[in-house]
Amino acid sequence: MALEFKNIAIGFLDGLGRFLIRFFEETGRLINLFITTMRLMVKPPFRLNLLSKQMEFVGVQSTFIVALTGTFTGMVFALQSSYAFKLLNAEGMIAPAVGLSLTRELAPVLTGLMVTGRVGSAMAAELGTMRVTEQIDALFAMAIDPIKYLVVPRVIAGIIMVPLLTILFNFVGNVGSYIVGVGILGLNSERYINDIVYMVDLPDLYHGVIKAGFFGLLITLIGCSRGFYSAGGAEGVGRAATQAVVIASVLILVSDYFLTSVLVRIGFD
Amino acid sequence: MISIRNLYKSFGNHRVLEDISLDIEKGETTVVIGQSGVGKSVLIKHIMGLLKPDRGAIFVDGDDITKYDNKQMKEYLQRFGILFQNAALFDSMSVGENVGFPLREHTNLSDKEIRARVAEKLQVVGLAGIEDMLPSELSGGMRKRVGLARAIALDPEIMIFDEPTTGLDPVMSDAIDNLVIETQERLNLTNVVISHDIAGTFKIAHKVAMLYDCRLIEVGTPEEFRNSPNPVVQQFLARKAEGPIKI
Amino acid sequence: MEEKILSTEAKVGLFVVVISGILFWMTFKLGGCLGVGAPRGYPVKVALETAQGLNLETPVYIAGIQIGKVNDIALEEGKARVILKIFTEYQLEEDVEASIRTMGFLGAKYINIKPGTPGAPVIEPGGEIVRVKIPPDVEELIDELGEVVQDIREVSRSLRAVIGGEEGEASLREIIDNIREASVSLKYDFPVIAGNIRRVSEDLEDLISENREGLRESLEQFQMAAADLQESLDNIASITRKINEGEGSLGKLVNEDETVEKLNETIEGVNEILAVSRRLRAFIDYRGEYLIEDNDLKSHFSLRLQPGADKYYQIGIVDDPQGVTEVTDVYTRDDGETQYTHTEVTERKLKFSLEMAKRFYDLTLRGGIIESTGGVGMDYSLLGDRIIVSFEAFDFGKETNPNLQARLSLEPFRHLYLVGGANDFIDSEIEPRYFFGGGIKFEDRDLKALFGTAGTAASVGGQ
Ligand SMILES: Nc1ncnc2c1ncn2[C@@H]1O[C@H](COP(=O)(O)OP(=O)(O)OP(=O)(O)O)[C@@H](O)[C@H]1O
Ligand SMILES: [Mg+2]
């Protein structure tokens, strides 16, 4: 009985220890990859063709899905907030409420999540496959830095394209809210735009865009890291893709809080 | 030229290489044989710097490459042409782009010159005119040969072939063996070949090394190998399941 | 390989250019700091008591249309000097009135401009808006409400001390005895008084029936306003109920105790404010004054409408035995001789009063028409309006001094009060004429019942 308990306790501690070691290992790996990527980013040669390929994949090909989610987010948000604001006779607050939430929170976070689902998993799967079929080794053996060749263009594309997609999200989101506010709720068109312009300031826009840049880094870096260091064949590749989405989504939501508080403190409020 | 000294490697608790010492001479073809899973690929990955040994050193022209930094490693690797066991073709590129890849990355050749060189190398491996196909459209043997074409594209001074003839028909296998001998003699290359093909091994090898149970149990000329008293070597050469080798 | 209409580079380039265009557009739309695209405007100053809630970019609206924005805020002589940037295409007349308003109930502040007289001179760039109105904001109202409650509490405490004590009881008994005496002595006058009252009520009826339409309209409007407020209250109540019951995601979110408490506090505050604005109080007052010299009764009948704690309007009818004296001076030229006739016709006739009053703590100042002539008055209240000392000056048109009246009224019981005082008490030529009497005052709820009757009567009459 006592022995059994001891075994369970040891088993538990063992598992916990393993988990912690793995956690620190992964974190260290991610930070290491991040530093290496940043260092290699500024070193020639700059493979612009690879970069534009990744930018097309991350940005151009996400246009439709981001435009769609953005429009409907703006529309549904305007509709929902109109119920609350109508009760307080504050319809004038619908446009700014939607505008502010979009620019500061919804646009970067939802764009980040959409891109994670589309791009983060694809990157993990692609690099994972390259890892298990020794393509990454082949790159290395051909005297080409696989991080520079594979990870850097993806991360740069993320850092550039997610903010751009966020701007698109902002734009179509406000268009959606305008459609609902003016078209359906019958609010004054000029007033609606004025209200947005009045309440939403440039720092709000930058606030969202800066966050989006960070999310872009997070998504691509995690996707690449999961794929780059994946092991265990096809199953491992699948796992890498899933983990990339889960980890990146969670980190987006968690880091959003800290980013917001930091950004607010340094004046982007 | 390449001197492996007292190399140890294990993955976790799984010991793969133990106290390996091997000299690979310049202008010679060295063939490594051994059972599947014994660690042959692991050994050549150490030579390429893809794996770091737990202990031991690998001297190339007097330098220990296990101590190389990124830049030195890069320079070192440019002397190699490597064929991976599974060819490791880039899925996202066509056959032509795969073969031309080292040329584009490491030479200043124009697109036209690259195309010409790619066509020539594909011709050599018997696959002329498949530049626009994708790796996923090829058979296993074709992939291996495209990998071979990519490995020799830069005319490197050291070639490493991980099982170049596995998966090929006998005629094609012999053709590849001839290719290895021909390029080696023409350019005075240093070749490291991993092979399960005993006949081919004796045809191309200047030196044979046999890996068994984490260690090199026999290193010598093909002649010495044939006459080896070691029952393990004899069982392997005789291609028999019965004998001292545990399966 | 498949033919691409657009190369990868072209697609990426197009994407980046289009989104950068959107960004650029949004940047100067939101920032307006590039100068380009931002509407041009000219500066106009306005001095405000407080610039609380204003910031640079706060919009300026006329009739809901943005005509400018706040450009600068500075402190000047304890006031907030706000520089507005009025867009060039708009002009402001000199008599426009600026006020700070709130979008919705708890929303952001903006500056509202009430248009001036069309054709009036316009404010030049750099000029100033002189007329400023500051509506009480939510916080102030709540503060004031707190003060009022405090006052009431204090007053009732001291009143209890006065009336509750033995001394107070004794004086109260004395007062009642006096009233009894007075009523005994008034007994023989009663038929006269009754006649007067009847006449007053007849006149009142005439008055009401003449103005029935208007009265009904204002009543309806009043009821509509009350209904609107009630609806808002109901809505808020329904939200709170839903939230309390944890309905919807909001409910689940806020069902944390602290949040709920805060929300309830807010809603209470809102209720209080709504209650204040709903509380348009009305009083009907009848007062009879026995004029000792004339041995006659003077009746006052008045309706007081009180929209806020600090002001009221009062309409009154007065039946004065002294009547209205009409003075006619006639100068006639007859054969080069100037003849002068002075006629004074005094006629017993109803007089009217219409006064506006503003209250400062215990002092109420009022003015307007008093007994059919221009006049001013002041009341000083003690013990929470239970004792009122009043001075009135009216009838300035008399050849002699204006009529000055001093009056003291005591309200020992709700609705009932006693008065005593003197007319012409500083006129050196005439002896002061003393009077005393009593009155009855209806408030709020009692009055509502009366209004209801009037409304019904009006609608019946209208058919
Ligand atoms: N990255 C790795 N992680 C863990 N174990 C590995 C790794 N690479 C190889 N091994 C293990 O090392 C051993 C040797 O593998 P290796 O690929 O060298 O075999 P091989 O001799 O090339 O066999 P084959 O002839 O089938 O190619 C195997 O047991 C394998 O499980
Ligand atoms: Mg192998």
Side-chain angles (χ1 to χ4, degrees):
Chain A
M1 181 67 202
L3 192 72
E4 210 170 277
F5 175 76
K6 200 176 145 195
N7 283 345
I8 292 171
I10 286 171
F12 172 76
L13 286 176
D14 189 53
L16 185 72
R18 269 171 214 277
F19 169 79
L20 282 178
I21 287 167
R22 258 193 66 100
F23 174 78
F24 290 130
E25 223 172 56
E26 295 291 328
T27 312
R29 198 179 257 177
L30 196 67
I31 291 168
N32 195 26
L33 184 67
F34 170 68
I35 292 169
T36 313
T37 306
M38 290 298 132
R39 198 161 44 74
L40 292 176
M41 212 178 259
V42 294
K43 261 169 87 178
F46 303 108
R47 299 172 194 278
L48 293 180
N49 59 328
L50 291 182
L51 179 61
S52 65
K53 216 179 214 166
Q54 289 306 322
M55 281 167 82
E56 188 198 359
F57 176 59
V58 177
V60 180
Q61 291 180 17
S62 301
T63 311
F64 179 70
I65 194 170
V66 166
L68 195 74
T69 33
T71 313
F72 280 95
T73 304
M75 286 175 74
V76 77
F77 199 31
L79 201 59
Q80 288 284 23
S81 55
S82 76
Y83 292 126
F85 285 126
K86 255 189 189 161
L87 292 172
L88 294 169
N89 281 329
E91 280 100 334
M93 297 302 287
I94 297 173
V98 178
L100 272 180
S101 327
L102 279 176
T103 46
R104 293 172 69 102
E105 281 305 324
L106 293 179
V109 170
L110 290 182
T111 306
L113 293 179
M114 295 316 293
V115 172
T116 304
R118 236 200 99 244
V119 170
S121 57
M123 283 182 178
E126 193 184 352
L127 266 62
T129 305
M130 291 185 79
R131 166 64 75 191
V132 301
T133 57
E134 296 183 317
Q135 292 177 53
I136 289 177
D137 286 343
L139 274 176
F140 181 86
M142 282 187 243
I144 289 162
D145 190 333
I147 293 181
K148 171 104 183 146
Y149 192 83
L150 297 172
V151 179
V152 169
R154 284 171 170 77
V155 171
I156 296 178
I159 294 174
I160 296 175
M161 292 322 245
V162 176
L164 290 180
L165 288 169
T166 298
I167 290 162
L168 176 71
F169 193 110
N170 264 325
F171 180 71
V172 296
N174 278 306
V175 169
S177 112
Y178 178 89
I179 291 169
V180 169
V182 175
I184 296 174
L185 302 174
L187 301 175
N188 177 285
S189 158
E190 195 182 339
R191 183 79 189 259
Y192 203 82
I193 293 168
N194 273 344
D195 285 341
I196 299 176
V197 172
Y198 164 53
M199 288 293 282
V200 182
D201 291 329
L202 272 187
D204 296 319
L205 186 66
Y206 295 151
H207 180 113
V209 170
I210 290 170
K211 278 203 253 191
F214 187 81
F215 294 158
L217 169 73
L218 211 60
I219 294 160
T220 48
L221 199 66
I222 287 167
C224 288
S225 141
R226 295 319 306 166
F228 199 83
Y229 298 112
S230 74
E235 199 196 330
V237 173
R239 209 166 40 230
T242 314
Q243 283 177 347
V245 172
V246 173
I247 296 173
S249 307
V250 169
L251 279 188
I252 282 175
L253 294 173
V254 172
S255 67
D256 182 46
Y257 175 81
F258 296 101
L259 276 176
T260 303
S261 58
V262 168
L263 284 172
V264 164
R265 192 154 303 167
I266 62 173
F268 288 102
D269 50 350
Chain B
M1 157 166 231
I2 302 173
S3 305
I4 300 165
R5 288 288 171 268
N6 310 101
L7 196 74
Y8 287 79
K9 179 69 182 179
S10 50
F11 296 101
N13 292 326
H14 176 32
R15 278 185 288 125
V16 178
L17 299 177
E18 249 177 49
D19 198 18
I20 304 289
S21 293
L22 178 67
D23 287 313
I24 294 161
E25 303 300 337
K26 192 173 165 66
E28 278 189 9
T29 298
T30 305
V31 180
V32 181
I33 58 172
Q35 279 173 283
S36 183
V38 77
K40 304 181 293 293
S41 297
V42 169
L43 179 64
I44 60 161
K45 279 182 185 171
H46 278 93
I47 298 172
M48 291 182 277
L50 280 169
L51 290 172
K52 293 271 176 233
D54 298 337
R55 255 195 298 150
I58 298 168
F59 294 100
V60 176
D61 299 337
D63 287 350
D64 183 359
I65 65 144
T66 60
K67 306 256 158 38
Y68 272 1
D69 62 18
N70 274 349
K71 206 175 152 216
Q72 290 168 308
M73 201 60 179
K74 236 179 200 172
E75 279 170 22
Y76 167 70
L77 283 169
Q78 291 198 26
R79 300 161 65 186
F80 281 84
I82 295 149
L83 168 62
F84 281 82
Q85 191 169 354
N86 298 309
L89 300 181
F90 301 120
D91 298 325
S92 55
M93 300 179 194
S94 67
V95 167
E97 285 169 331
N98 261 293
V99 178
F101 184 77
L103 299 171
R104 259 198 313 280
E105 290 297 330
H106 295 304
T107 67
N108 294 322
L109 297 178
S110 69
D111 275 3
K112 213 177 128 199
E113 289 168 311
I114 289 174
R115 269 201 299 280
R117 185 85 81 92
V118 167
E120 177 205 322
K121 297 298 173 189
L122 285 174
Q123 173 85 49
V124 168
V125 297
L127 290 173
I130 64 156
E131 279 94 336
D132 285 341
M133 292 181 81
L134 288 171
S136 55
E137 298 165 345
L138 303 178
S139 76
M142 287 165 86
R143 290 164 68 94
K144 182 142 277 177
R145 282 183 283 156
V146 172
L148 190 60
R150 187 175 69 180
I152 60 176
L154 272 177
D155 294 328
E157 59 175 295
I158 307 164
M159 293 287 304
I160 295 178
F161 302 104
D162 197 344
E163 306 187 16
T165 56
T166 306
L168 301 186
D169 63 86
V171 177
M172 187 50 75
S173 296
D174 197 49
I176 296 295
D177 285 341
N178 288 339
L179 175 72
V180 171
I181 295 165
E182 191 258 322
T183 48
Q184 192 269 321
E185 282 173 354
R186 180 162 55 89
L187 303 165
N188 194 27
L189 294 186
T190 307
N191 284 339
V192 181
V193 182
I194 293 170
S195 186
H196 290 303
D197 178 359
I198 304 300
T201 300
F202 287 134
K203 182 174 175 184
I204 60 173
H206 295 103
K207 187 193 260 180
V208 183
M210 178 155 173
L211 206 52
Y212 177 70
D213 197 16
C214 305
R215 292 168 185 273
L216 282 175
I217 52 162
E218 187 90 34
V219 180
T221 62
E223 207 51 41
E224 287 165 354
F225 249 77
R226 277 202 196 93
N227 305 324
S228 168
N230 192 328
V232 175
V233 176
Q234 286 309 325
Q235 188 196 343
F236 197 79
L237 297 185
R239 209 177 158 273
K240 282 209 180 97
E242 303 84 30
I245 299 176
K246 306 173 282 279
I247 301 169
Chain C
M1 279 190 129
E2 55 177 322
E3 277 294 311
K4 284 186 186 170
I5 301 166
L6 276 177
S7 69
T8 302
E9 283 82 359
K11 277 191 217 161
V12 172
L14 182 70
F15 178 84
V16 172
V17 166
V18 168
I19 307 261
S20 304
I22 293 176
L23 175 66
F24 202 70
W25 180 75
M26 290 207 289
T27 302
F28 75 74
K29 188 91 187 159
L30 295 183
C33 56
L34 294 180
V36 211
R40 294 169 166 281
Y42 59 93
V44 169
K45 281 182 276 189
V46 60
L48 298 172
E49 285 294 337
T50 171
Q52 199 183 354
L54 299 187
N55 57 32
L56 307 184
E57 300 297 313
T58 295
V60 179
Y61 287 115
I62 288 184
I65 292 160
Q66 194 184 353
I67 57 132
K69 59 174 191 171
V70 171
N71 222 16
D72 190 29
I73 300 173
L75 187 66
E76 197 178 284
E77 292 166 10
K79 280 196 161 195
R81 173 152 303 265
V82 177
I83 310 278
L84 309 177
K85 178 175 156 189
I86 304 297
F87 302 147
T88 332
E89 65 259 46
Y90 300 105
Q91 290 192 320
L92 302 178
E93 292 84 13
E94 272 177 353
D95 56 346
V96 295
E97 188 182 85
S99 57
I100 298 179
R101 296 264 190 93
T102 308
M103 289 184 194
F105 212 83
L106 307 160
K109 297 271 196 282
Y110 66 95
I111 293 184
N112 190 61
I113 304 248
K114 211 169 96 188
T117 324
V122 297
I123 299 177
E124 293 296 317
E128 182 163 2
I129 297 175
V130 191
R131 298 177 60 183
V132 173
K133 196 174 131 201
I134 302 158
D137 70 353
V138 172
E139 293 160 43
E140 261 175 49
L141 266 177
I142 291 172
D143 281 357
E144 270 172 26
L145 215 68
E147 269 170 41
V148 168
V149 168
Q150 189 61 34
D151 285 353
I152 291 172
R153 193 176 300 136
E154 267 168 33
V155 165
S156 60
R157 196 178 299 134
S158 44
L159 194 73
R160 198 187 313 127
V162 169
I163 296 178
E166 251 173 59
E167 222 175 285
E169 223 169 87
S171 55
L172 214 65
R173 197 170 299 124
E174 206 173 297
I175 290 168
I176 293 168
D177 286 347
N178 287 343
I179 294 174
R180 195 181 298 129
E181 264 173 45
S183 61
V184 168
S185 67
L186 277 172
K187 214 176 208 165
Y188 74 99
D189 280 332
F190 202 74
V192 183
I193 296 171
N196 287 343
I197 290 174
R198 196 184 309 120
R199 220 178 32 253
V200 167
S201 59
E202 272 165 20
D203 286 341
L204 189 71
E205 210 173 281
D206 285 350
L207 190 80
I208 288 173
S209 60
E210 268 168 35
N211 296 312
R212 195 166 271 167
E213 253 334 286
L215 198 64
R216 198 183 53 189
E217 245 170 54
S218 35
L219 269 174
E220 274 169 3
Q221 275 164 12
F222 181 73
Q223 277 165 355
M224 254 155 63
D228 280 354
L229 287 167
Q230 191 57 50
E231 206 181 290
S232 299
L233 270 179
D234 287 350
N235 283 338
I236 289 169
S238 118
I239 303 171
T240 10
R241 183 170 41 73
K242 279 186 187 165
I243 290 172
N244 277 341
E245 288 165 11
E247 248 180 64
S249 49
L250 185 64
K252 284 184 194 100
L253 258 175
V254 303
N255 255 336
E256 205 177 306
D257 276 358
E258 202 193 355
T259 328
V260 170
E261 215 166 84
K262 276 195 180 141
L263 198 69
N264 282 341
E265 265 175 40
T266 311
I267 287 163
E268 253 167 50
V270 170
N271 269 335
E272 272 172 357
I273 297 152
L274 288 177
V276 167
S277 51
R278 196 167 37 166
R279 206 184 298 147
L280 173 68
R281 298 174 67 186
F283 301 83
I284 280 188
D285 191 341
Y286 169 78
R287 169 170 103 233
E289 291 170 357
Y290 179 66
L291 305 173
I292 298 170
E293 240 94 351
D294 302 293
N295 194 11
D296 211 335
L297 190 78
K298 182 176 179 181
S299 301
H300 295 257
F301 187 88
S302 64
L303 167 68
R304 178 193 291 187
L305 295 172
Q306 188 166 331
D310 62 347
K311 62 179 173 192
Y312 63 83
Y313 306 96
Q314 184 164 299
I315 309 159
I317 310 154
V318 183
D319 176 50
D320 192 350
Q322 280 189 306
V324 181
T325 307
E326 273 192 39
V327 180
T328 355
D329 289 336
V330 185
Y331 296 90
T332 40
R333 291 184 77 130
D334 207 4
D335 300 337
E337 262 195 73
T338 305
Q339 287 207 341
Y340 170 61
T341 27
H342 175 83
T343 34
E344 265 190 45
V345 183
T346 303
E347 200 188 335
R348 184 157 188 162
K349 192 171 156 186
L350 283 180
K351 299 181 189 173
F352 293 97
S353 294
L354 181 62
E355 290 172 79
M356 269 166 60
K358 173 106 181 128
R359 182 167 183 156
F360 306 95
Y361 301 104
D362 290 333
L363 181 70
T364 306
L365 297 179
R366 54 198 159 83
I369 299 165
I370 299 179
E371 299 192 15
S372 297
T373 68
V376 290
M378 84 179 214
D379 305 306
Y380 194 76
S381 353
L382 296 158
L383 299 182
D385 295 2
R386 291 253 167 169
I387 299 171
I388 300 173
V389 184
S390 308
F391 294 96
E392 262 171 31
F394 55 96
D395 202 2
F396 293 90
K398 259 199 324 192
E399 275 184 10
T400 52
N401 286 323
N403 188 356
L404 272 164
Q405 187 188 79
R407 188 170 73 234
L408 174 73
S409 59
L410 301 168
E411 190 181 358
F413 310 106
R414 257 168 75 86
H415 304 311
L416 290 174
Y417 63 96
L418 302 167
V419 287
N423 278 312
D424 295 316
F425 73 101
I426 55 154
D427 201 322
S428 49
E429 286 168 38
I430 313 169
E431 283 285 327
R433 295 175 303 140
Y434 296 100
F435 63 86
F436 66 89
I440 185 158
K441 194 153 82 179
F442 298 94
E443 244 183 85
D444 260 342
R445 266 166 296 153
D446 319 313
L447 200 75
K448 250 178 212 157
L450 202 77
F451 260 129
T453 327
T456 322
S459 57
V460 167
Q463 275 168 0

